[in-house]
Amino acid sequence: RQIGQYVIPVSSAIGLEGILALKEEIVSMAGDSKYFPELKKVIPPNWVALEKLLRAKSKEADCPLYITLEDCVEMGKSAGLQNQSSLGYSLNYLHRTGGVLYYEALPQIAFPNPAHLIDIFTVLLKDHAEIKAEYFKMSWLTKLRLEKIDDSFTHQAILPHSVILALLRQHTGQGKKGLDLLLTLMCNFGICHLLPTPEQDSLAKAYDTFDRMYHFPWYLRKSKPTDLHWQDSPQEDEQHIEIVCEMAMPSPWGLFERWCVLATRHLSYRQAWENGMYAFSRVDMSVAIMMQHVEEDRGSSLHVAGRGTKDKLITVWTTVKSIVSELQSLLKEWPGLYTDSVILCAHCVKNGAENPGYFSGEPLHYPAPQGTTSLRCPRTGEMVDVRLVYPPASPTNQPISEDCVQHVSCYLSKTTWRPLARVLGVENAVIEEIEEGHHAGLREMKYRMLRHWQRKAGRLATLAALISGLRHFAIEENGLADDLEKMTIK
């Protein structure tokens, strides 16, 4: 939903009143139930009582970072909430209105002071040199390990788990549980991500590090590596698929970095720099992927390209489309940002054209018309294989089968089915109605939710949309998504 009807120019220069106009507009919209229907919702008195208790707790000088579910239950009882189900509804409401931070993925924990978390996270969003200065003061690090940490942070923007916890501990005084919770939240917010550990029989174990490693895209080197195996034009036996998202303005701050973080779940063995990332498909290491952020005179663009031999074309498409889905999920946070998606002409790219032709991004969502084998490039008029413009027909383009619904209903976690429902666009009122009507059967609730989504979304309720939802950063049901995705690569 678009919030706000016009753009307000803002500047820190003296004499310009953009900040004041922006403030007035935000305050005005904040009280408008058209944008925020929760504000006018009539809520039970015991929810109000719990909100007051939590607000009082957040203002205490020794307010804890988090409150356990047991403590919440006791507070809920004093507010008149007699069971855990009622407490859950209340905490979800307070989360949506900003009173607390409560994730169903962390159902045993609530954070009473969300603003305090922002102050904590800035500890690891400092200047590059400040972070280096802090870990060089850690006397418990050996010379060999310190050199490795410094090299990894300088060239790859990677920090080990132990160093991150040490930085957080000295600024928060938290114990192990609190520090682990903070790191979990940082990964959920896209501030960093955990690098996958090599398999035991993998050659990558020879290069493995001392500790679990986390990648912070904000600290990436500025220049593109010179040793990438990615030429401007693909090799003779390679097929090239490239999707471009164009914006008529500079890209929102942090968008590309967060996109790279989310894309890593589909990729392996990455090399990254400030405006790009080179990697390989996690499904097949022979498929190379390039992501780039390009600033232009009149705006900016985000690119994702995949290359592989003709027999790997399905994997190329599957990986590229998965990464594009991650971007589409992120762009929902900027409803007023106008974007255009296009598919570059693979023929022009292969010929090294400086200004390649392009096709509309619409074919990404539909199979190729039956009987069509080639299309004309809009710029050169030359014929292009239709398989380089339309994704190959696969189960992901089709409506979800009954077997698929039953499979997801069976294996979807009890803590993620509600977040998945919201990601798919199911309203909270519908979720609550499903819960109230099926108290005894969790599997039946998940089944009813998926069926409601299918009826509402119509032809857009495809297996691809469900896979994208399962991989959403708030869901992280990647194992279940992998099971479904393998169906498209057989």
Side-chain angles (χ1 to χ4, degrees):
R1 177 191 300 169
Q2 182 171 345
I3 297 179
Q5 302 302 314
Y6 55 92
V7 175
I8 300 174
V10 174
S11 173
S12 59
I14 297 174
L16 295 180
E17 300 179 353
I19 293 289
L20 292 176
L22 178 62
K23 179 181 177 181
E24 291 174 359
E25 177 69 6
I26 291 174
V27 170
S28 173
M29 289 190 297
D32 192 334
S33 60
K34 179 175 66 175
Y35 299 122
F36 303 103
E38 296 282 0
L39 294 173
K40 302 298 183 181
K41 183 177 181 179
V42 178
I43 61 174
N46 47 18
W47 290 20
V48 177
L50 179 62
E51 182 176 20
K52 289 179 179 178
L53 289 172
L54 287 168
R55 186 180 297 126
K57 172 68 74 174
S58 69
K59 293 180 179 179
E60 293 177 0
D62 58 346
C63 173
L65 173 69
Y66 61 90
I67 301 175
T68 64
L69 184 61
E70 291 78 10
D71 292 335
C72 287
V73 168
E74 291 304 314
M75 295 178 72
K77 287 180 179 178
S78 66
L81 297 167
Q82 298 304 317
N83 56 62
Q84 194 166 318
S85 176
S86 298
L87 176 66
Y89 291 143
S90 178
L91 289 175
N92 277 320
Y93 168 77
L94 294 177
H95 173 82
R96 295 195 299 272
T97 55
V100 297
L101 199 64
Y102 175 70
Y103 286 105
E104 291 180 334
L106 295 170
Q108 303 300 314
I109 298 293
F111 298 88
N113 190 350
H116 182 47
L117 291 172
I118 298 174
D119 297 332
I120 292 174
F121 292 155
T122 56
V123 170
L124 287 166
L125 293 175
K126 294 181 178 179
D127 178 79
H128 193 281
E130 289 184 82
I131 294 292
K132 289 169 71 76
E134 292 210 30
Y135 64 64
F136 267 106
K137 294 176 184 176
M138 297 178 183
S139 58
W140 49 274
L141 292 173
T142 64
K143 180 181 178 182
L144 178 63
R145 194 167 188 184
L146 186 57
E147 288 177 353
K148 177 66 176 176
I149 290 169
D150 190 49
D151 181 71
S152 296
F153 184 59
T154 301
H155 299 292
Q156 301 178 60
I158 292 171
L159 282 173
H161 178 263
S162 56
V163 169
I164 297 171
L165 293 192
L167 289 169
L168 290 171
R169 185 184 298 111
Q170 69 186 35
H171 288 278
T172 67
Q174 289 292 315
K176 184 179 185 304
K177 182 176 181 179
L179 296 173
D180 286 339
L181 282 172
L182 285 171
L183 193 47
T184 299
L185 285 177
M186 290 171 66
C187 290
N188 284 340
F189 291 162
I191 296 174
C192 61
H193 69 271
L194 176 65
L195 296 183
T197 303
E199 301 292 338
Q200 289 298 324
D201 58 350
S202 169
L203 290 175
K205 290 295 289 185
Y207 306 95
D208 202 6
T209 53
F210 303 99
D211 202 349
R212 283 176 288 167
M213 305 296 285
Y214 290 79
H215 178 50
F216 289 79
W218 324 96
Y219 295 118
L220 288 170
R221 55 187 167 182
K222 293 186 178 297
S223 57
K224 180 179 178 180
T226 58
D227 58 347
L228 294 183
H229 298 293
W230 181 280
Q231 306 299 322
D232 290 339
S233 301
Q235 301 295 318
E236 186 62 34
D237 63 339
E238 285 184 322
Q239 304 294 333
H240 180 98
I241 304 295
E242 184 167 354
I243 314 299
V244 181
C245 176
E246 291 272 358
M247 289 167 276
M249 60 179 289
S251 171
W253 185 83
L255 173 59
F256 179 72
E257 289 81 1
R258 290 176 63 197
W259 184 34
C260 288
V261 167
L262 296 178
T264 55
R265 70 188 71 185
H266 311 288
L267 305 171
S268 297
Y269 300 99
R270 297 156 299 283
Q271 293 187 57
W273 57 102
E274 187 177 55
N275 292 313
M277 183 165 74
Y278 173 67
F280 300 95
S281 171
R282 181 168 289 186
V283 175
D284 189 328
M285 288 280 291
S286 68
V287 172
I289 300 293
M290 176 70 83
M291 298 173 64
Q292 296 186 85
H293 175 207
V294 180
E295 291 289 348
E296 300 160 338
D297 291 339
R298 293 191 57 188
S300 57
S301 57
L302 301 177
H303 300 239
V304 56
R307 288 180 184 174
T309 53
K310 186 173 292 187
D311 60 315
K312 305 293 184 182
L313 194 55
I314 291 180
T315 305
V316 175
W317 269 114
T318 300
T319 307
V320 168
K321 284 188 65 179
S322 296
I323 295 172
V324 170
S325 293
E326 301 287 8
L327 177 60
Q328 291 170 341
S329 295
L330 277 176
L331 287 174
K332 292 177 183 177
E333 298 180 20
W334 288 275
L337 178 64
Y338 181 78
T339 62
D340 249 337
S341 292
V342 299
I343 303 168
L344 291 193
C345 172
H347 194 282
C348 290
V349 173
K350 197 158 193 172
N351 289 335
E354 185 175 341
N355 193 14
Y358 58 85
F359 298 88
S360 162
E362 283 298 308
L364 279 174
H365 309 291
Y366 304 99
Q370 290 188 355
T372 304
T373 59
S374 60
L375 299 170
R376 288 193 181 277
C377 169
R379 188 173 300 278
T380 66
E382 297 186 32
M383 302 305 293
V384 182
D385 190 331
V386 72
R387 293 172 297 178
L388 302 177
V389 180
Y390 281 86
S394 72
T396 62
N397 299 117
Q398 307 304 321
I400 302 173
S401 67
E402 173 66 19
D403 287 343
C404 177
V405 174
Q406 293 285 0
H407 183 79
V408 175
S409 300
C410 180
Y411 293 105
L412 183 63
S413 166
K414 66 179 182 180
T415 62
T416 56
W417 78 271
R418 296 182 194 85
L420 175 63
R422 296 186 185 105
V423 167
L424 294 176
V426 179
E427 299 88 349
N428 284 309
V430 174
I431 297 173
E432 293 176 7
E433 183 180 325
I434 291 172
E435 288 182 305
E436 291 171 1
H438 301 86
H439 288 297
L442 177 61
R443 182 170 177 177
E444 182 65 17
M445 287 192 283
K446 292 184 283 186
Y447 179 86
R448 294 293 177 187
M449 179 274 290
L450 290 170
R451 281 305 189 196
H452 173 85
W453 167 61
Q454 285 183 288
R455 288 194 299 271
K456 179 182 176 183
R459 67 175 184 174
L460 297 179
T462 63
L463 189 56
L466 181 56
I467 288 173
S468 176
L470 291 167
R471 292 194 183 282
H472 190 274
F473 66 87
I475 315 301
E476 294 286 359
E477 286 280 4
N478 294 314
L480 185 53
D482 288 342
D483 291 343
L484 301 180
E485 199 168 69
K486 288 173 184 176
M487 297 169 57
T488 71
I489 309 175
K490 291 180 180 180

